Amino acid sequence: MGFDTFCSPDRSDPFWDWNRTWYTENPDFTQCFQNTVLVWLPCLYLWVCGPIYLIYLHSHNHGYICMSHLNKAKTAVGLLLWIICWSDVFYSFWERSHGSSVLAPVHLVSPTLLGLTMLLAALLVQYERMKGVRSSGVMLIYWLLALLCATVTFRSRILQVLDQTLTVSVWRYTTFYCYYTLLLVALFLSSLTDQPPLFSQAVKDPNPCPELGASFLSRISFWWITRIMVEGYKCPLEEKDLWSLNPEDCSQRVVPQLVHRWKAECQKVIRTEQKTLYSPKTAQHSECKNAQAVESEILIVKTPLKTKEPSLFLALCLTFGPYFLVSCFYKIIQDILMFVGPEILRLLIDFVINSSAPTWHGYFYTALLFSCTSVQSLILQKYFHVCFVSGMRLRTAIIGAVYRKALVISSTARRTSTVGEMVNLMSVDAQRFMDLITYINMIWSAPLQVVLALYFLWQNLGPSVLAGVAVMVLMVPVNAVIAMKTKTYQVAQMKSKDTRIKLMNEMLNGIKVLKLYAWELAFKDKVSEIRESELRVLKKAAYLGAVSTFTWVCAPFLVALSTFTVYILINKNNVLDAQKAFVSLALFNILRFPLNMLPMVISSMVQASVSLRRLRVFLSHEELQEDSVEHQAAAGSLHSVSIVNGFFSWSRTEPPTLKRLNVCIPEGSLVAVVGHVGSGKSSLLSALLGEMDKLEGTVAVKGSVAYVPQQAWIQNSTLRDNIMFGQERREAWYQLVVEACALQPDLEILPAGDKTEIGEKGVNLSGGQKQRVSLARAVYCERAVYLLDDPLSAVDAHVGKHIFDQVIGPQGLLKDKTRVLVTNGFNYLPQVDLILVMSQGEVTEMGSYQQLMATEGAFSEFLRTYTAVDYTGNNEILPKSETKATDSGSTTALFGIPGVRNLSKLSQPNKEGQNVRLKTENPEVGKLMEADKANVGRVQLSVFWAYLKAVGFFLSCISLLLFLTHHLLSLFSNYWLSLWTDDPVVNGTQPDRLMRLGVYSGLGLSQGVAVFGYSLSVSIGGILASRVLHQSMLYDILRSPMSFFERTPSGNLVNRFAKEMDTIDSVIPSIIKMFIGSMFNVLGACVVILIATPLVAIIIPFLGLLYFFVQRFYVASSRQLKRLESVSRSPIYSHFNETLLGTSVIRAFGEQARFIYESDRRVDHNQKAYYPGIVANRWLAVRLEFVGNCIVSFAALFAVIARESLSPGIMGLSISYALQLTASLTWLVRMSSDIETNIVAVERVKEYTDTEKEAEWKHKCPPIPPRWPTNGCIDIRGFGLRYRHDLDLAIRNMTIKINGGEKVGIVGRTGAGKSSLTLGLFRIIEGAEGHIFIDGVDIAQLGLHDLRSRITIIPQDPVLFSGSLRMNLDPFDNYDDDDVWRALELSHLKTFVSGLPDGLSHECSEGGENLSVGQRQLLCLARALLRKTKILVLDEATAAVDPETDKLIQSTIRSQFEDCTVLTIAHRLNTIMDYNRVLVLDRGEIAEFDTPSHLITKRGAFHSMAKDAGLV
């Protein structure tokens, strides 16, 4: 039974009739077609999509929505439609029983199918409600499809009524009109949004993302973001305006997925390795635990030669693949729709040529063109949205995974991955993945587009297309070679960048040392050298880029040229008419995109593969052995800490650092660990923490651990947060801890009490304060075992005694806990339960103080030599030597904090129990760090001007001229082609075709030259600008005063040198290239369309205004979102940097989870600004493409209207240009906003030109004598200084004269102004009043480098930089090796350095981590010995060394600096007892200044200090 009999038994109603549908002025479908296809099409759609949609709903439950009016209405409409369909079926039966004629089956089948479909629709509505779907795209498309099909029938029925009133069935017409009305209602209802599900996140969220509640239409048109765009247009957006992230984009959801998959990948590799290593027999038994243990041991010994790497790529695919696959579906549809344009162009040219075609054909083609381009736009934007969201999740996951890994990597791995590298993994490499994800689909989409284009071209031009294909195939190897070379350059550039960022990081961390030694220029040159090598690579890449641009801009033209040439030459009867030429040209333009993109995608993939490898290597790094310290095993034993036959090393490849350790510590005992510098005291604690590789033996620690490192780790947070360290607040206990750790007086000094913000690495605390905060943190956390690495080294004698008595000692707060105390202070030893004496990594003696003194071993001998101990009557020990000493004036410290009060003595414990929070009324007072601020409003023209100046005016003009030339040539060549196609055909051929061809090819080749020229000039200009901007920023930052670095988080500065410089290096030049290119494209297209169809002039101004308004509207919000995103990026890296410095503390306290949570929170905060940015881009693109689609449609429409007067060539030219216009328009706005948002990088780099600067480094006049200072006489007259202009003087009325060669000790309680005086001497802080003369020269008149390079300081914190030992001693290479070795010998390091395999070339790791603190301190002494200036300042220089080494240092200083002036901020008071004079400071003023013996007889402040230290 055919369709005709199915529709009418007598075949009077055919299924299709061309004359009725197409070749007529008034078209209509046949009745049969309407009753079958138009009814079945929507039904087919719903029955195909329904099951898939049901499965999706079943697996994605968003909650339960209560029955609402909207839902009731939707269901009621569905049921009414079902009733109408069934009523039609019953009417057919009734008609059959009452009628005379035989009823056509279609009247039963179609309404039945439709009825069942309506029932399915009603059920789907209810199921959606139960699964929490608020707006359904599937249902909206169904109702829209049903309505469109019904609309055709609706028109047809009206025409029928007008023509044949008598044959109309009133019942069917009535039900159809009801059906049509209900469809309209259903469509309207389905475009509305239902209420949120019960208990949904959105209800609790104060500012939820509107996407969750947006309707389907709002989602596909991105209308839901309009509100924030309007707000952004009215006034600049702020953080509070940003929505919360969608739950599925949050770190909490995304990162664990990737981590889980990656671990599974690693496990797979381990399993396959085990299979390959052992015979199957062993593998079968490996289920039992013992076998596994044995196997893992064998694994260590016998690793295979080539291990299989775990695949990070696979882990990423499994994590993000499923969601990303949706984008592939969108891309396929979009690719197919792309080819509709050229096909419609063909039909339109046909329509113009064929004058007999009905006029409605033209309008139909125009409408079809508009519909297809609009659908294509929406699908393309949806595709991009999916890609960008995937990219965003990928970045979140990578940052999270790197952060989590950084917390567990072993010390060996830490050496191979520097901080700079890890920060780059987070910033640059994660960004690379994000960029790639947008284009990765082009890998399969580009070939698909090429194949489709070639198919249509073959249809158009036949085999001649093969010539074009040959050209394309030839281009592939060229691009492949370019891509491979680019990869090489990429790797080299990343390597340089890593080194540069690492060095910058270190310079910023050690900036104080650079300034004190006047080393800025040496390090500036080092950075510049690395930067130059980076720029050399960039320049090579720019040459390659120019060749690549040349090939890909010329490729489509060469393809077209070769094809047309072959086409007209193989047969002289082949005529190049408008249809062939312009449809081919439109297809060649489509070809241009995949051909352009492929090399870009390949190079992007190459970059990402480099990043992928770096990431995989980092994530595969060896982790700390989780089982190296047993906590369970110790639970039952009496010993709190035990090590049995322990061998430990910092790296498995090195010999063990600690050997043959056998230590058992009973619960609740106090153990002291003593020994020389480098004997392994700190390593012992690291071994107990599980930070070292355990080679042999067992370690067991019972209970939780608290750790106080030798160099205190302080967070950039309030003082209270530093102490509480994430524990809950217990007021009474907190109070007790603060008093016991002697922090009460410091809290009174601090402007906002314990709410004062502490800067990065504790910059606004002195060494002693940092150490006490670090100790207070450990005490507050109440753990079972305390590992204390010399916490008393940086505090004053009386404070040290107070802390020992109140906290560590037998009567202290920790008296019931197990305490392991590394110390160099021997006066505490009689009070400890057990002493471990260490030497060269072994415990040489062990026992109580009395036992060790009795055994007459090395310990007792050592003690007798270095401490003159008096035994008084009651056996109490009064040591003559003092512990490591003073608290280096908290004034260094209180940089930039208002209201500093100096305390002359430790305040008594608060009897009234007054609260610690003394001054917290205004916590703003305690703010120190300046967060990165986002600028607001438009980017200033001065920023663009600064960039242009950096590029060079001449080069900019040349680039612009070349751009213009290229586009004029391009326009003219296409116009020439249109003239060619309109040439008359004589005897089946075009007479002038060879001339036309020659001119066409000449124009094309000239274009190629222009392209090469502009690409090269823009890239070279970009590199010149990069160099200038980097150099000026580096210089500006190094010229900034110390206070600037204390206020500015180093993360901000590193961000400038990493991310912002990367943008200036590689992003801005390519954006400028694309911006100018697309601008000329748009202008060219508009000119051509206007010439062809002048009527468009009516529309263009209106659309231009709309376009301009949308663009301005968008840029206002987009620019601000980009700034907010930039600003919120720095805290991620600052926190990461901070974490890396304190990993051992975080692990010891078991606080990893809290830090991971904080890092995730910061990443989410950053993505909160990024997400609206990408959605705003889509919002813009949808609207702009609509404007573009309108222009295309109007160009076609006016061409249809004026078809009598238009030549086919001009029309083809006009519409082929119009088809390109949409893409160019969108690209133009994208690029113009990208320029504005990325030029922000220049703005941020230039930011530091206007900040305050230090005085000049060098002064030309008056010249100072070359050997100055010759005597070292210091004359201070009425000197005073303050830390900030709004603060009190920190030093006042200082008038003293120190003669050349005098040795002067400077003492005073915490905050007396000792360090402030040295800062004034070095002009780190400029004096506020008075003068300092050195050998009669006023230092304020000198250049800073002239001054600082001629006086020497050994600072309190021994700072080293990564590089060779020699570089650390002499960065300018001013001395020969003999001098260096002599300095090392005098600083007692010669034996150590000569024992190193590389000697002076030994690489110091970042911050000198691979040397002990004592060794670093000795290297600083060696620096001073090398410079040997007439004035030497010692600032707590021997705080981290044992008394024996201290004694050696003191003797070296006395002998080597005999004729020099030495100022010592006194640490152990006994070291200055033989000095010429002692200066006692109190509250910034001179309290006493005389010889030590006079001061003691005076019984003043110095006397009481000496008494505290047991010296009188």
Side-chain angles (χ1 to χ4, degrees), residues 43-81:
C43 301
L44 179 71
Y45 161 79
L46 197 62
W47 284 102
V48 168
C49 294
I52 302 165
Y53 187 46
L54 283 168
I55 294 166
Y56 170 81
L57 285 177
H58 182 69
S59 58
H60 291 71
N61 194 350
H62 296 288
Y64 179 87
I65 298 178
C66 294
M67 200 63 156
S68 61
H69 292 308
L70 177 64
N71 219 284
K72 288 173 187 166
K74 282 183 185 175
T75 314
V77 169
L79 292 173
L80 279 172
L81 283 163

Side-chain angles (χ1 to χ4, degrees), residues 336-623:
I336 293 165
L337 284 174
M338 261 170 109
F339 292 94
V340 173
E343 275 308 293
I344 294 176
L345 173 63
R346 188 172 63 77
L347 294 170
L348 272 168
I349 294 175
D350 250 358
F351 169 73
V352 171
I353 296 169
N354 178 8
S355 55
S356 64
T359 317
W360 72 266
H361 283 191
Y363 298 123
F364 171 69
Y365 294 146
T366 305
L368 193 62
L369 185 61
F370 182 71
S371 314
C372 288
T373 47
S374 298
V375 171
Q376 185 190 342
S377 295
L378 291 176
I379 284 178
L380 180 64
Q381 298 322 316
K382 204 69 195 142
Y383 157 74
F384 274 130
H385 184 63
V386 172
C387 288
F388 275 110
V389 171
S390 301
M392 181 174 102
R393 290 180 187 171
L394 186 62
R395 175 171 175 249
T396 300
I398 287 172
I399 292 179
V402 169
Y403 187 87
R404 284 156 173 75
K405 182 73 179 183
L407 281 174
V408 293
I409 60 173
S410 66
S411 51
T412 326
R414 268 300 285 274
R415 289 185 199 176
T416 51
S417 289
T418 61
V419 176
E421 244 170 83
M422 290 190 241
V423 171
N424 266 350
L425 284 175
M426 273 194 172
S427 55
V428 182
D429 295 312
Q431 191 65 40
R432 290 261 152 85
F433 278 107
M434 260 173 96
D435 297 343
L436 172 70
I437 272 240
T438 331
Y439 302 115
I440 186 89
N441 277 327
M442 289 306 293
I443 280 299
W444 60 263
S445 166
L448 172 70
Q449 288 177 25
V450 169
V451 168
L452 284 172
L454 290 177
Y455 168 75
F456 285 113
L457 279 166
W458 186 283
Q459 298 291 315
N460 210 17
L461 294 173
S464 325
V465 174
L466 294 173
V469 174
V471 172
M472 285 194 304
V473 169
L474 284 173
M475 290 292 180
V476 172
V478 175
N479 281 329
V481 169
I482 290 174
M484 291 314 292
K485 288 299 280 179
T486 311
K487 174 174 182 173
T488 324
Y489 294 148
Q490 191 69 42
V491 176
Q493 192 209 339
M494 283 307 287
K495 208 167 181 177
S496 296
K497 180 179 280 155
D498 280 350
T499 320
R500 178 168 61 83
I501 298 302
K502 175 181 150 197
L503 183 58
M504 276 313 303
N505 216 1
E506 287 189 84
M507 283 167 63
L508 294 170
N509 286 344
I511 189 74
K512 191 170 176 186
V513 171
L514 291 190
K515 291 201 170 298
L516 288 169
Y517 285 126
W519 279 357
E520 293 104 328
L521 285 171
F523 278 82
K524 178 174 175 276
D525 293 343
K526 279 190 72 171
V527 173
S528 302
E529 194 183 316
I530 299 169
R531 178 75 182 150
E532 280 307 310
S533 70
E534 205 179 327
L535 289 176
R536 275 197 294 279
V537 174
L538 272 173
K539 195 175 274 186
K540 286 179 190 164
Y543 294 141
L544 268 185
V547 174
S548 148
T549 309
F550 171 74
T551 55
W552 62 249
V553 170
C554 291
F557 179 82
L558 288 173
V559 171
L561 180 67
S562 54
T563 306
F564 290 157
T565 307
V566 172
Y567 181 70
I568 62 167
L569 292 181
I570 52 173
N571 185 346
K572 67 176 184 193
N573 291 334
N574 280 352
V575 174
L576 195 65
D577 58 16
Q579 199 182 22
K580 285 194 168 60
F582 288 104
V583 172
S584 304
L585 216 56
L587 288 164
F588 285 134
N589 280 331
I590 288 179
L591 257 185
R592 170 179 294 194
F593 186 70
L595 289 183
N596 292 356
M597 287 305 293
L598 260 181
M600 246 174 78
V601 174
I602 290 168
S603 73
S604 197
M605 284 181 76
V606 163
Q607 289 180 6
S609 70
V610 173
S611 294
L612 189 73
R613 210 193 81 247
R614 283 157 54 93
L615 259 171
R616 195 202 67 233
V617 168
F618 177 72
L619 292 176
S620 310
H621 272 325
E622 186 188 358
E623 296 184 4

Side-chain angles (χ1 to χ4, degrees), residues 111-153:
T112 308
L113 181 61
L114 199 55
L116 289 169
T117 309
M118 291 303 167
L119 195 60
L120 175 65
L123 291 171
L124 272 174
V125 166
Q126 282 308 311
Y127 193 59
E128 282 176 342
R129 178 182 68 78
M130 289 155 71
K131 290 292 180 183
V133 176
R134 299 173 65 185
S135 174
S136 167
V138 172
M139 293 310 295
L140 186 111
I141 293 171
Y142 167 68
W143 294 121
L144 183 65
L145 199 57
L147 187 73
L148 287 174
C149 292
T151 305
V152 176
T153 313

Side-chain angles (χ1 to χ4, degrees), residues 1366-1381:
R1366 198 186 191 305
M1367 190 282 300
N1368 268 295
L1369 292 168
D1370 174 28
F1372 287 98
D1373 277 338
N1374 290 342
Y1375 306 95
D1376 59 25
D1377 279 7
D1378 295 343
D1379 294 337
V1380 176
W1381 277 111

Side-chain angles (χ1 to χ4, degrees), residues 47 138 252 297 310 402 452 583 586 641 680 758 770 778 884 914 1019 1163 1179 1248 1373 1441 1469:
W47 284 102
V138 172
Q252 246 78 16
E297 277 176 30
V402 169
L452 284 172
V583 172
V641 176
I758 308 302
K770 281 191 246 184
K884 301 184 197 171
Q914 71 188 66
S1019 301
V1163 173
W1179 177 92
Y1248 295 126
D1373 277 338
V1441 294
L1469 277 191

Side-chain angles (χ1 to χ4, degrees), residues 981-997:
T981 60
D982 286 340
D983 275 355
V985 177
V986 182
N987 299 331
T989 182
Q990 287 168 316
D992 296 335
R993 60 202 179 119
L994 292 176
M995 181 271 289
R996 294 283 192 198
L997 183 66

